[in-house]
Amino acid sequence: MDDSTAARLALLETHVDWLYQNSGYAPPYGHGGSPPAGPAAGAGGGGGISAAVLALVRDGNKIGAIRQYREETGVGLKEAKDAVDRLG
């Protein structure tokens, strides 16, 4: 890979990281090696996924994650399930 391609790839990765952080979605587990430890965009403020929800998903407790997400955000069951499903 030449220098210009590597520089462009690094810039694209920076943009993708920014999009994940500001969209409220957690990055895929393969991105960076492991799920993030904190909220993707700030809990309670813009649809971010909290560390508590991410931990429940990581532990395989999908129902608990949906319940926690609903408590934090006030969304309905379908919206919470869809949000948790997008995590993994």
Side-chain angles (χ1 to χ4, degrees), residues 15-80:
H15 288 196
V16 168
D17 288 341
W18 183 89
L19 288 169
Y20 273 120
Q21 291 173 354
N22 291 287
S23 68
Y25 292 99
Y29 291 127
H31 192 264
S34 63
I49 307 297
S50 72
V53 172
L54 290 172
L56 289 165
V57 170
R58 186 175 46 244
D59 293 342
N61 187 351
K62 189 174 180 179
I63 293 172
I66 292 168
R67 183 180 300 123
Q68 180 70 29
Y69 187 81
R70 289 187 70 196
E71 288 176 12
E72 292 175 4
T73 63
V75 299
L77 180 60
K78 179 170 178 12
E79 293 83 2

